Amino acid sequence: MTAKAACSDFLHFFRSWVSNPLRVAAIAPSGDSLARIMTSEIAALDGPIIELGPGTGVFTRALLARGVSEADLTLIEYGPEFISSLQARFPTARVLQMDAAHLAHADIFEGEPVGAVVSGLPLLSMSPRKIASILAGAFAYMRPGGAVYQFTYGPRCPVPRPILDRLGLKAVRIGGTVRNLPPASVYRISRRKPLELSRERFSYRESAADIDNVAAFSNETGG
């Protein structure tokens, strides 16, 4: 990427953060160092791949550098301000504008064909219910051995332990970098044992209570 394009992405991302800081949750796009860690365990054979919250496409470019075919990428972005640039930069990828919490009911794949999910979503600003819905939806499409790769700016996994236990998942920190604004860690989230995640059980409907519960849940769990 050229310096001009990088500057343009920064300004685009910064404006999005100013307009909705809870949704974007960072003042700048993720750096190349973080992108390399996020995609370090993913290979071309893992396709199809779902990317949640691709933003300006930093992780998307890293996936392509790992050999993943652009046609094997499904990019799910909620922010309308990023959609046109994603479609222009990755014309053979599938770009969908939607809330990742409704992933389970979107029927974007049949069966469990997905080898990995790369998430740039700001989970720390989301309610426990929404986090559970996102993960349940991701694993509803995940084939055995697949994993969700999630980064965080916090000191621990952004998915609280009660949610991991409820969904039969485990989280392992696979790396981190201080060469990011702000510094970040990366976690691999995978199944502990075979578990069928019901799409109906974890359907998501946002409410005002969900927003209020974010702070309360964080206080209870020390997050």
Side-chain angles (χ1 to χ4, degrees):
M1 174 180 287
T2 66
K4 182 178 180 180
C7 182
S8 175
D9 279 355
F10 174 82
L11 292 174
H12 190 184
F13 205 91
F14 182 76
R15 285 194 295 266
S16 298
W17 174 78
V18 169
S19 65
N20 196 331
L22 282 179
R23 175 168 62 82
V24 179
I27 64 172
S30 299
D32 291 339
S33 178
L34 177 58
R36 285 192 293 271
I37 299 172
M38 281 285 285
T39 59
S40 62
E41 296 186 347
I42 299 175
L45 294 178
D46 291 321
I49 305 287
I50 294 175
E51 185 179 354
L52 305 177
T56 59
V58 176
F59 297 157
T60 315
R61 290 192 295 272
L63 287 168
L64 297 178
R66 294 286 299 172
V68 177
S69 170
E70 187 174 307
D72 278 341
L73 296 177
T74 294
L75 311 180
I76 296 177
E77 175 58 54
Y78 183 73
E81 66 272 26
F82 294 117
I83 296 297
S84 60
S85 61
L86 288 170
Q87 291 172 331
R89 290 178 177 180
F90 311 107
T92 61
R94 179 166 52 164
V95 180
L96 303 176
Q97 183 183 354
M98 60 175 288
D99 187 336
H102 303 298
L103 184 63
H105 297 283
D107 293 326
I108 60 175
F109 291 104
E110 293 184 2
E112 299 178 335
V114 175
V117 173
V118 174
S119 172
L121 298 175
L123 297 189
L124 291 177
S125 65
M126 297 180 181
S127 70
R129 183 182 179 187
K130 185 164 188 174
I131 294 172
S133 294
I134 290 169
L135 287 175
F139 279 96
Y141 297 109
M142 194 88 68
R143 60 178 177 254
V148 170
Y149 293 89
Q150 174 71 51
F151 79 92
T152 182
Y153 301 131
R156 58 179 66 87
C157 179
V159 182
R161 182 60 182 269
I163 293 178
L164 293 172
D165 290 343
R166 181 186 179 194
L167 299 181
L169 303 174
K170 61 182 179 180
V172 176
R173 185 181 184 274
I174 64 170
T177 177
V178 297
R179 299 176 63 185
N180 194 73
L181 182 65
S185 297
V186 177
Y187 286 83
R188 180 205 313 119
I189 302 170
S190 57
R191 295 182 176 100
R192 293 179 186 171
K193 58 183 179 180
L195 176 68
E196 182 178 348
L197 296 179
S198 167
R199 297 186 182 184
E200 287 298 328
R201 180 182 176 189
F202 294 104
S203 61
Y204 174 74
R205 292 182 180 178
E206 191 171 32
S207 65
D210 288 334
I211 299 173
D212 294 337
N213 285 339
V214 174
F217 191 89
S218 296
N219 290 335
E220 291 174 5
T221 59

